[in-house]
Amino acid sequence: MVVVMAADATEADADNVVAVVEEAGGSAFVSRSVSRTIVGITGDMDRLAATLNLAGLPGVADVVRISVPYKLVSREHRRERSVIRVGGVPIGPDTLTVIAGPCAVETPEQTLEAAWMAKAAGASLLRGGAYKPRSSPYAFQGLGEAGLKILADVRAETGLPIVTEVVDKADVDLVASYADMLQVGTRNMQNFPLLQAVGGCGKPIMLKRGMSATIEEWLMAAEYIAQRGNLEIVLCERGIRTFERATRNTLDISAVPVAQRLSHLPVIVDPSHSGGRRDLVLPLSRAAIAVGADGIIVDVHPHPEVALCDGPQALIESDLRELASIAAHLSPLVGRVVTPAPAVAALR
Ligand code: PEP
Ligand code: MN
């Protein structure tokens, strides 16, 4: 059960809810954020619900009974599918949002070129990592804040809002000061302090599925973010580890409708990191759109042969028109329109 406190509720009101629940033999955990306070309750729900009138306590706005372990992100909590806005660009059930860009920000020229490529591919958001979670400690780790500055310059020039990864709790405020959406990657899906930190950052979050995580674990990870008051979350299926070695990961296409049925949050697909091969990106993009994904996120690079990260999966110039055409032609068949890129002036 979740008790949502009113905007004008006092700390004492929330403490009173806890006291009442504990008195009745239940447990309560208060989660305070800038925008709202939530009290999560566990224990014998049938008995607590029958004996307590929590909705009548001072400062209580809503009491929600939910049976799944992820509550705020569940469809039991919110029936309608959510629309998340990233720098004004919607991601939700009526649109197909394409996010594209280089795996890593390398230079201003490479990032700007990749952003124009992203636009040519029909993208309305630009991706690019300044902090890279690399399996090898000897691999390129990203440009850090210098990379964020490049992204901000490229946004000003192209009008594309930016999505970029944060790997360390200590960097959340810095990354949030530049980014329109923060990405939490597969390796950090269960980094709980990081999830809590991005839950308080005030920007939308893209949460990639852990490569060995079940859908339930993925949704519970999203709940960590939501519990801190941030319900602006987009889930991203990016492939899971299986016995199969022909692809980098196995795209779990069924995760899209399953997660959409369990959660009101938008679900997008990353065909680049799942297949790990350029020749699979367009076929997997078709599959993602056909299955009902709310968007796709793809790697593009002007010169993949010299890319510092993930060159083999990056789309090249000659692929872009086809990606744009796949998105434009398939979207109406699944009741969607491709999200247009914002005008450059919109960001100024
Ligand atoms: C990425 O998108 O750059 C990335 C590292 O993805 P993942 O966390 O899915 O491997
Ligand atoms: Mn990558």
Side-chain angles (χ1 to χ4, degrees):
M1 192 149 54
V2 174
V3 174
V4 182
M5 303 303 293
D8 59 354
T10 63
E11 267 190 42
D13 290 336
D15 292 344
N16 181 46
V17 172
V18 175
V20 169
V21 170
E22 288 180 347
E23 173 77 28
S27 306
F29 175 80
V30 182
S31 172
R32 287 191 174 90
S33 76
V34 201
S35 53
R36 63 169 125 181
T37 296
I38 286 156
V39 188
I41 295 171
T42 53
D44 181 345
M45 284 311 150
D46 288 337
R47 197 178 53 74
L48 291 175
T51 53
L52 301 178
N53 175 19
L54 294 173
L57 294 179
V60 171
D62 199 9
V63 178
V64 193
R65 268 203 87 178
I66 292 165
S67 56
V68 286
Y70 44 89
K71 300 180 187 311
L72 300 168
V73 305
S74 77
R75 287 202 79 167
E76 290 182 39
H77 173 55
R78 190 185 287 173
R79 272 306 327 144
E80 296 297 305
R81 301 205 51 226
S82 294
V83 178
I84 308 301
R85 288 185 181 276
V86 182
V89 170
I91 306 179
D94 301 326
T95 47
L96 187 278
T97 303
V98 179
I99 308 172
C103 177
V105 174
E106 299 168 15
T107 64
E109 297 74 26
Q110 167 257 8
T111 308
L112 184 60
E113 250 187 278
W116 292 126
M117 290 175 74
K119 266 200 151 172
S124 49
L125 296 170
L126 173 68
R127 63 147 291 150
Y131 295 87
K132 295 303 301 175
R134 302 305 299 276
S135 301
S136 165
Y138 300 111
F140 176 59
Q141 304 287 311
L143 296 179
E145 188 172 2
L148 298 175
K149 291 200 166 102
I150 293 173
L151 284 168
D153 290 346
V154 171
R155 170 177 55 200
E157 179 132 7
T158 62
L160 294 173
I162 51 186
V163 182
T164 192
E165 182 159 357
V166 60
V167 297
D168 188 330
K169 177 176 175 258
D171 297 326
V172 167
D173 289 342
L174 177 71
V175 177
S177 71
Y178 288 91
D180 298 288
M181 174 183 248
L182 278 67
Q183 171 176 329
V184 174
T186 193
R187 293 161 187 82
N188 273 314
M189 189 208 81
Q190 284 188 314
N191 180 340
F192 301 118
L194 179 64
L195 297 175
Q196 288 172 328
V198 298
C201 80
K203 288 281 170 77
I205 308 300
M206 179 173 66
L207 178 65
K208 292 189 129 190
R209 180 180 179 185
M211 63 183 89
S212 302
T214 64
I215 292 171
E216 184 173 81
E217 286 165 341
W218 187 20
L219 296 177
M220 287 194 286
E223 187 76 10
Y224 267 88
I225 301 170
Q227 203 208 24
R228 293 292 156 132
N230 188 354
L231 269 158
E232 305 289 296
I233 306 165
V234 173
L235 301 168
C236 177
E237 160 62 39
R238 50 77 69 204
I240 51 175
R241 280 246 165 122
T242 68
F243 54 82
E244 182 52 66
R245 299 266 66 88
T247 51
R248 183 176 178 180
N249 294 278
T250 300
L251 176 60
D252 181 6
I253 200 77
S254 55
V256 176
V258 171
Q260 286 173 337
R261 204 152 295 162
L262 295 171
S263 171
H264 56 83
L265 300 175
V267 183
I268 66 169
V269 166
D270 182 339
S272 305
H273 287 83
S274 42
R277 291 170 29 184
R278 180 172 310 124
D279 63 324
L280 295 180
V281 174
L282 297 181
L284 295 181
S285 298
R286 282 191 206 98
I289 299 168
V291 86
D294 300 301
I296 52 173
I297 176 165
V298 298
D299 285 10
V300 299
H301 198 291
H303 307 287
E305 64 290 352
V306 293
L308 296 179
C309 186
D310 287 347
Q313 71 195 28
L315 293 183
I316 54 175
E317 201 65 44
S318 55
D319 300 315
L320 306 177
R321 199 196 290 247
E322 190 171 350
L323 182 63
S325 149
I326 288 169
H329 286 101
L330 288 184
S331 292
L333 299 180
V334 289
R336 296 172 185 270
V337 290
V338 179
T339 309
V344 178
L347 289 168
R348 293 224 167 108

